[in-house]
Amino acid sequence: MPKTIKNKYDEKLTYENLMNAHIKSRKNKSTKKDIILFNLKQEEYIKYLYEQLKNQTYKHGGYYTFYVYEPKLRKIQKSKYIDRIVHRWVVDNFLYEAFIPQFLKTSYACIQDRGMHKACIDVQKAIKHCKNIWNEYYILKMDVKKYFQSINKVKLLEIISKKIKDKKVMWLLREIVFSVKDEVGIEIGNYTSQIFANIYLNELDKYIKHKLKIKYYYRYMDDSVIFVRTKEEATYTLRKIKEFLKNELYLELNQKTQVFKSKQGVNFCGYKINEYRIKIRDKGKKKLKKKIKNLKIKIKNGELTSKEAQKYICGHLGYIKYANVYNLCNKIFYTKDEFN
């Protein structure tokens, strides 16, 4: 069990560590206006930030709000750049050290050397194993209703305080968490948001593994899957999880949560997974085809080069390379010679 963090704030609060947080925060974003302006006087800004954090006079600034529409409508709240440096510093120096070692190996979101691709590969391995030992079994697929918007901030800080006993660190975390005064909901867009969300549902992870003794359990953020031998086990497990979420974390599962037979395979992290293959879901295929079609038009009209277009599909390529998509790729991807 990882040790608690005590009296580390002043030790970790150095000009060098804050500058390092700045360098990491600006990576691949150095052409953004706010970062360009910060870079012009970065030494002065870092010294100013250091003094604020040292004297505990730091106040979190406001947010820029915008919306994204893929894969679904989401409200994004982006903090000011100087605050993003603070987020990076507190996460990298305290939250990772305190919590990453205690996360289950089958929790995958935003954890180095894991991610959605490893999650899908591990789920497929589990499907093959369960097929071998049980032949037929049941799958419990769960998704938390409006997860980020439903996280209770007081409960979140209570969970964090079990591992972080440093009063100054907790002061800073309270300043970040309550930068928006609402008691429920954390902002999507902060560097802290993903680790906060993982810390919160780690309580459920521990309950499922250690109290319910579930062996085959996999979670990517608020999307999770469980394999059990019988329908009765699945139904009982679902009931206990609903009770725990309601009573301990003030959450509930959404309508996509269901129990079904193993022969159907399972949708997880955007893939349709069974013991034989990992396929992209129809919604993912549609999105990819639309993206490629638009890029082809832009290349043909001279708005983009093939090389520039590749940058726009890098994320998609990383997404599809783990799936069985040979025929799909042959159908939708152009060759370099197509537009020459």
Side-chain angles (χ1 to χ4, degrees):
M1 195 74 168
K3 61 184 179 181
T4 57
I5 291 179
K6 299 178 182 178
N7 305 318
K8 292 285 188 178
Y9 183 89
D10 292 317
E11 177 187 328
K12 298 285 188 178
L13 181 58
T14 65
Y15 176 89
E16 291 75 18
N17 281 346
L18 288 173
M19 181 59 77
N20 188 47
H22 161 50
I23 291 169
K24 289 181 178 179
S25 297
R26 74 184 182 189
K27 186 176 181 180
N28 300 325
K29 302 171 186 174
S30 56
T31 58
K32 301 286 186 180
K33 182 179 178 181
D34 55 347
I35 297 178
I36 291 172
L37 293 174
F38 190 95
N39 283 337
L40 292 174
K41 296 183 178 180
Q42 62 181 17
E43 290 84 4
E44 293 178 37
Y45 285 131
I46 294 297
K47 287 177 182 176
Y48 168 75
L49 189 56
Y50 170 82
E51 291 298 328
Q52 282 199 316
L53 291 170
K54 184 178 178 62
N55 299 327
Q56 293 183 267
T57 55
Y58 166 78
K59 295 292 181 183
H60 195 285
Y63 288 89
Y64 306 105
T65 300
F66 60 95
Y67 293 86
V68 296
Y69 300 90
E70 291 290 347
K72 60 183 178 182
L73 178 64
R74 294 179 192 269
K75 179 182 179 182
I76 306 297
Q77 291 173 283
K78 181 181 177 183
S79 52
K80 295 179 179 178
Y81 182 69
I82 196 166
D83 296 313
R84 301 205 296 273
I85 294 172
V86 176
H87 296 172
R88 172 74 70 165
W89 177 72
V90 76
V91 170
D92 290 358
N93 287 281
F94 302 106
L95 294 179
Y96 279 169
E97 180 182 341
F99 288 98
I100 292 295
Q102 71 167 244
F103 287 164
L104 297 183
K105 291 182 179 180
T106 54
S107 174
Y108 299 91
C110 307
I111 300 174
Q112 188 175 0
D113 299 324
R114 298 189 200 177
M116 67 165 62
H117 300 135
K118 179 169 172 53
C120 292
I121 291 168
D122 287 354
V123 164
Q124 188 182 50
K125 288 179 181 177
I127 287 173
K128 291 177 180 178
H129 179 69
C130 291
K131 173 69 175 179
N132 185 49
I133 61 173
W134 292 330
N135 189 28
E136 293 185 357
Y137 57 96
Y138 281 81
I139 299 172
L140 169 54
K141 178 71 169 56
M142 299 180 294
D143 200 348
V144 178
K145 183 179 179 180
K146 296 181 178 179
Y147 179 47
F148 282 85
Q149 301 97 308
S150 303
I151 293 175
N152 184 287
K153 294 179 179 180
V154 174
K155 182 66 178 181
L156 172 64
L157 289 171
E158 177 189 315
I159 293 168
I160 292 174
S161 68
K162 294 176 184 178
K163 299 303 300 179
I164 296 182
K165 304 297 184 182
D166 190 308
K167 292 182 179 180
K168 291 182 179 179
V169 178
M170 290 305 302
W171 157 75
L172 180 55
L173 288 171
R174 279 192 293 272
E175 179 63 33
I176 293 171
V177 169
F178 282 103
S179 55
V180 174
K181 302 304 180 184
D182 300 337
E183 287 196 7
V184 177
I186 60 173
E187 296 69 43
I188 301 175
N190 283 349
Y191 184 66
T192 52
S193 299
Q194 303 288 351
I195 185 69
F196 283 159
N198 258 341
I199 289 169
Y200 203 73
L201 273 188
N202 185 53
E203 299 297 295
L204 175 64
D205 296 348
K206 292 186 292 185
Y207 174 73
I208 289 173
K209 293 296 285 189
H210 304 311
K211 296 294 184 181
L212 298 182
K213 306 293 183 183
I214 299 298
K215 187 173 183 180
Y216 305 106
Y217 167 64
Y218 305 85
R219 178 174 69 82
Y220 187 92
M221 199 49 71
D222 60 319
D223 190 10
S224 55
V225 61
I226 287 173
F227 304 129
V228 291
R229 187 170 188 176
T230 67
K231 187 175 182 179
E232 289 72 25
E233 287 180 82
T235 303
Y236 171 79
T237 300
L238 177 57
R239 178 168 60 83
K240 299 301 290 185
I241 288 172
K242 284 182 175 180
E243 291 174 359
F244 181 87
L245 286 173
K246 180 181 178 181
N247 298 331
E248 300 296 330
L249 299 178
Y250 317 115
L251 299 172
E252 59 179 302
L253 298 173
N254 66 19
Q255 294 180 344
K256 291 187 285 185
T257 297
Q258 56 182 318
V259 172
F260 49 90
K261 290 183 178 180
S262 58
K263 64 182 180 181
Q264 297 177 230
V266 64
N267 292 330
F268 191 59
C269 293
Y271 298 96
K272 179 76 173 180
I273 308 171
N274 62 34
E275 61 184 296
Y276 304 109
R277 62 183 64 87
I278 298 175
K279 298 171 64 177
I280 298 176
R281 295 176 62 188
D282 290 341
K283 185 164 62 175
K285 288 181 186 178
K286 185 176 179 180
K287 180 181 175 182
L288 179 59
K289 288 176 181 178
K290 183 178 178 181
K291 185 76 171 180
I292 298 301
K293 182 179 179 181
N294 290 337
L295 287 175
K296 285 183 176 182
I297 292 171
K298 288 184 177 182
I299 293 171
K300 194 169 185 178
N301 293 338
E303 298 174 42
L304 280 177
T305 65
S306 295
K307 190 172 182 180
E308 288 171 335
Q310 288 174 10
K311 296 178 182 178
Y312 290 93
I313 60 171
C314 281
H316 293 284
L317 293 175
Y319 166 62
I320 69 173
K321 73 177 182 179
Y322 289 88
N324 303 104
V325 290
Y326 180 80
N327 291 332
L328 176 67
C329 288
N330 282 343
K331 184 177 180 180
I332 67 174
F333 284 112
Y334 57 85
T335 66
K336 288 185 178 180
D337 297 329
E338 185 173 342
F339 297 103
N340 289 340

